[in-house]
Amino acid sequence: MERFRESFDVVVGLTRLHYDIVNDRLSRVDPAVLVLAAVGGTVVYLNVVNLYRRSEEPILKRIVGYTFSQFRRLPAVKAKIEKELTKAREDMMHSIHKDDSDKIFISNIPVAPLSESEIVELAIKYENYNHFEIAEGRVSGAVYTNRHKEHIDLLSKIYSRYAFSNPLHPDVFPGARKMEAELIRMVLNLYNGPEDSSGSVTTGGTESIIMACFSYRNRAQSLGVRNPVILAPKTAHAAFDKAAHLCGMRLRHAPVDKNNRVILKEMERLIDSDVCVIVGSAPNFPSGSIDPIPEIAKLGQKYGIPVHVDACLGGFLIPFMSDAGYDVPIFDFRNPGVTSVSCDTHKYGCTPKGSSIVMYRSKELHHFQYFSVPEWCGGIYATPTITGSRAGANTAVAWATILSFGRDEYVRRCKEIVKHARLLADKISEIPQIQLYGSPDVSVVGFSGKGINIYAVSDRMNKLGWNLNTLQNPEAIHICLTINQAKQSVVDAFARDLRQVCEELANSDDKGNKDSTAALYGMAAQIPDKSLVDEMVALYIDATYAKPPKK
């Protein structure tokens, strides 16, 4: 005890000595200068902290990107980049409009109306631009049902009655309101939502994810968290990036294992007081792997953090997998830690595009999603989602689709899709030039190259009539099976063409590294300033809205 007291006295003495020295030095400085230095230092410190917290990217990566962006300003470099972008713009215009055979473009509202037959003829001509055989299973994802006549006839009858309905006005359109409420409750019960569970219809998975993140941001801010963070696996959908951007949040990515499932220990290590929601995918988009949802839910409970399950892709497959004879981890509200789920009805629910459901364990959580302006001169303005007016017809045809299919049909489709996805995965694993990417847990089969450029594989499969999805970080591609691919003939044809393409590339001199998509992604990976990639993307999107180039 005596030794501790002596040590304590020495520390106090040294502290007083340094205090006197500093105080003596500062007493010779003008007080105004001290005030300005204190204020200026505080401002600089806050700006540095704000800059650091603006992104979860490593500082070195941000510095390199910033340096490259400044380098781009040099006249010679700027001119070179502009020249390359001009060429890219021309290539993209040609690529986007290559199927537009007549290059005629309607720019002005016609003075006299077109007849019904003229409009229908024009619409059929536009539809015939498509050269991919969707019904024959040649397109990855995109169209998730087989578009049979009875279903389309039903949709036409329902849509014609609800084409102008708007659930924003429940008093004017009580039928549309009831359909929306029933649609939400059917999906909540599908996901074993408790009695107090609640949800909203959105326009798609991206809006469902944004709404969930918006809710958790508002909840976190109500608890005093100034800089809310989304914690998600590296493989989480890019909609979480958009949500973070729109909601002024940060997105922190957790690494994944060889099967593309999040590493729980690493995810736990990244938790701090700013994390307002933890995300798991069931399954993820890149490889179709399902994250360990029960364990993620327990992690959320342990730290008192909400857990969101992104089931947008597999939303109308995973609830039926057990009945179809496949094992699947508990992914829904049966996990006490799961507080919200996003589920797309317009994918494997087979409804027309424009409907998804975001669900919450309780109304209290759902209320953080609502937005209202109580003092607006136009009256009290309140909406449950991003949109104000909502397309009641979208909800109506989703409601009609689910009622017309029934649970047994969804189970049957699930069984066929998962069965053929696993058959295809087995065939792909036998091709020596490629290897499976991730785990084909549900309907997505991803694969990467072994000695050949996988993007060249995608290009050449495209020329054979297959439309696949391109992935990056790491380089891979995938095919997302729908009911259109759930046939032995389609699986055999795909595997046969894939083997042929892989063998051709293996025997080529450059292994496909000079193919167009391979060159594009290779260049994008090497550019430290991703704003240049953003410009390329902008050119592509611009081309989709542009008039077709002259013949």
Side-chain angles (χ1 to χ4, degrees):
M1 186 66 183
E2 188 65 31
R3 185 173 296 176
F4 172 78
R5 185 173 297 170
E6 289 175 1
S7 299
F8 179 76
D9 289 341
V10 170
V11 172
V12 170
L14 288 172
T15 303
R16 284 176 177 171
L17 175 63
H18 285 89
Y19 172 81
D20 291 339
I21 292 171
V22 172
N23 195 46
D24 180 61
R25 294 277 178 87
L26 291 178
S27 66
R28 304 171 194 172
V29 181
D30 189 326
V33 173
L34 289 176
V35 172
L36 289 174
V39 173
T42 302
V43 171
V44 170
Y45 169 77
L46 290 175
N47 281 331
V48 169
V49 170
N50 184 53
L51 181 64
Y52 175 76
R53 290 185 170 180
R54 189 179 299 170
S55 170
E56 289 289 317
E57 285 191 339
I59 289 292
L60 181 60
K61 184 177 180 181
R62 283 190 266 172
I63 291 173
V64 171
Y66 175 78
T67 303
F68 185 84
S69 68
Q70 297 306 304
F71 178 69
R72 282 183 58 194
R73 295 174 182 267
L74 295 174
V77 177
K78 187 176 181 180
K80 174 67 174 174
I81 290 175
E82 200 57 46
K83 181 179 178 181
E84 292 299 321
L85 288 177
T86 300
K87 181 178 181 301
R89 184 183 296 110
E90 293 173 357
D91 291 343
M92 288 178 184
M93 285 290 288
H94 172 73
S95 175
I96 288 293
H97 297 279
K98 66 180 183 298
D99 300 314
D100 189 344
S101 54
D102 52 26
K103 300 292 189 288
I104 297 173
F105 191 81
I106 301 172
S107 298
N108 299 304
I109 300 173
V111 176
L114 272 64
S115 67
E116 178 183 329
S117 61
E118 289 174 317
I119 296 170
V120 171
E121 183 181 350
L122 196 58
I124 292 172
K125 184 177 78 170
Y126 287 5
E127 183 185 27
N128 289 335
Y129 286 166
N130 174 47
H131 64 277
F132 287 107
E133 297 174 342
I134 296 172
E136 280 67 45
R138 292 273 169 160
V139 176
S140 170
V143 179
Y144 291 81
T145 188
N146 48 2
R147 302 184 293 181
H148 55 86
K149 184 179 183 302
E150 294 81 1
H151 186 199
I152 292 175
D153 287 346
L154 171 65
L155 298 181
S156 299
K157 292 173 183 175
I158 299 298
Y159 193 92
S160 65
R161 289 183 175 274
Y162 288 87
F164 296 98
S165 64
N166 182 0
L168 181 65
H169 304 285
D171 52 340
V172 181
F173 305 104
R177 179 211 60 77
K178 185 174 182 179
M179 285 176 167
E180 186 171 53
E182 289 183 345
L183 176 62
I184 293 166
R185 184 49 57 184
M186 283 191 284
V187 179
L188 277 167
N189 287 337
L190 185 63
Y191 278 77
N192 294 288
E195 187 65 29
D196 191 46
S197 60
S198 186
S200 295
V201 176
T202 68
T203 57
T206 292
E207 188 186 355
S208 287
I209 287 169
I210 291 171
M211 288 290 86
C213 293
F214 178 70
S215 297
Y216 293 128
R217 185 207 69 175
N218 292 343
R219 177 182 179 273
Q221 289 180 342
S222 75
L223 296 173
V225 179
R226 295 181 61 187
N227 298 287
V229 170
I230 303 164
L231 177 56
K234 173 188 172 184
T235 50
H237 198 279
F240 288 99
D241 292 80
K242 182 181 279 191
H245 176 74
L246 292 175
C247 298
M249 305 166 76
R250 287 178 290 152
L251 176 59
R252 185 174 299 161
H253 280 133
V256 295
D257 62 20
K258 64 180 182 180
N259 290 317
N260 260 9
R261 298 189 182 99
V262 70
I263 302 172
L264 286 164
K265 287 184 178 180
E266 292 297 314
M267 178 172 261
E268 184 171 13
R269 186 180 62 81
L270 293 171
I271 293 174
D272 60 21
S273 59
D274 285 337
V275 174
C276 68
V277 58
I278 303 174
V279 175
S281 304
N284 67 45
F285 173 83
S287 65
S289 308
I290 298 178
D291 284 317
I293 302 301
E295 290 75 15
I296 294 174
K298 289 177 183 176
L299 206 57
Q301 281 188 296
K302 179 179 177 180
Y303 290 94
I305 300 172
V307 170
H308 178 79
V309 176
D310 173 23
C312 288
L313 177 58
F316 261 69
L317 284 180
I318 54 174
F320 306 107
M321 284 182 69
S322 293
D323 287 348
Y326 298 106
D327 291 332
V328 63
I330 297 176
F331 51 84
D332 55 20
F333 290 111
R334 287 171 291 177
N335 292 295
V338 170
T339 54
S340 60
V341 179
S342 50
C343 162
D344 283 2
T345 44
H346 69 195
K347 287 190 173 72
Y348 291 101
C350 302
T351 73
K353 286 296 180 183
S355 72
S356 174
I357 312 292
V358 57
M359 299 170 271
Y360 297 91
R361 177 172 288 278
S362 68
K363 292 183 176 65
E364 180 186 1
L365 283 173
H366 194 192
H367 291 172
F368 284 110
Q369 177 185 297
Y370 297 172
F371 180 82
S372 67
V373 183
E375 297 181 350
W376 180 41
C377 57
I380 297 174
Y381 177 85
T383 60
T385 59
I386 288 178
T387 57
S389 291
R390 305 196 299 284
N394 283 9
T395 296
V397 292
W399 170 87
T401 297
I402 291 174
L403 293 180
S404 67
F405 272 48
R407 187 181 183 94
D408 287 350
E409 176 61 12
Y410 284 121
V411 171
R412 185 192 72 80
R413 290 184 174 225
C414 172
K415 186 173 184 176
E416 291 300 308
I417 290 167
V418 177
K419 169 187 168 184
H420 286 88
R422 297 186 180 186
L423 284 172
L424 180 57
D426 290 341
K427 287 181 176 291
I428 287 174
S429 64
E430 295 171 357
I431 301 175
Q433 297 85 5
I434 54 177
Q435 60 190 358
L436 287 175
Y437 170 58
S439 176
D441 293 339
V442 190
S443 60
V444 172
V445 184
F447 45 99
S448 56
K450 289 167 61 179
I452 61 174
N453 193 298
I454 198 65
Y455 298 137
V457 173
S458 179
D459 283 345
R460 299 189 185 200
M461 289 292 283
N462 188 283
K463 290 176 182 176
L464 293 176
W466 300 98
N467 182 267
L468 306 178
N469 295 93
T470 305
L471 315 172
Q472 61 177 344
N473 304 320
E475 298 176 353
I477 56 179
H478 83 214
I479 179 169
C480 177
L481 278 76
T482 69
I483 197 66
N484 298 308
Q485 283 93 12
K487 306 166 190 171
Q488 187 68 50
S489 59
V490 176
V491 168
D492 290 343
F494 183 87
R496 182 179 63 249
D497 287 350
L498 183 60
R499 181 180 289 275
Q500 174 190 324
V501 164
C502 290
E503 289 174 352
E504 289 174 358
L505 287 168
N507 294 325
S508 66
D509 294 333
D510 66 352
K511 310 301 180 188
N513 290 316
K514 294 181 180 178
D515 280 42
S516 57
T517 304
L520 174 65
Y521 273 88
M523 178 192 71
Q526 295 174 24
I527 297 173
D529 177 20
K530 297 307 178 186
S531 66
L532 185 55
V533 180
D534 290 339
E535 288 183 43
M536 295 283 287
V537 171
L539 291 179
Y540 179 85
I541 296 174
D542 286 347
T544 65
Y545 292 124
K547 292 181 180 180
K550 294 180 180 178
K551 289 185 179 181

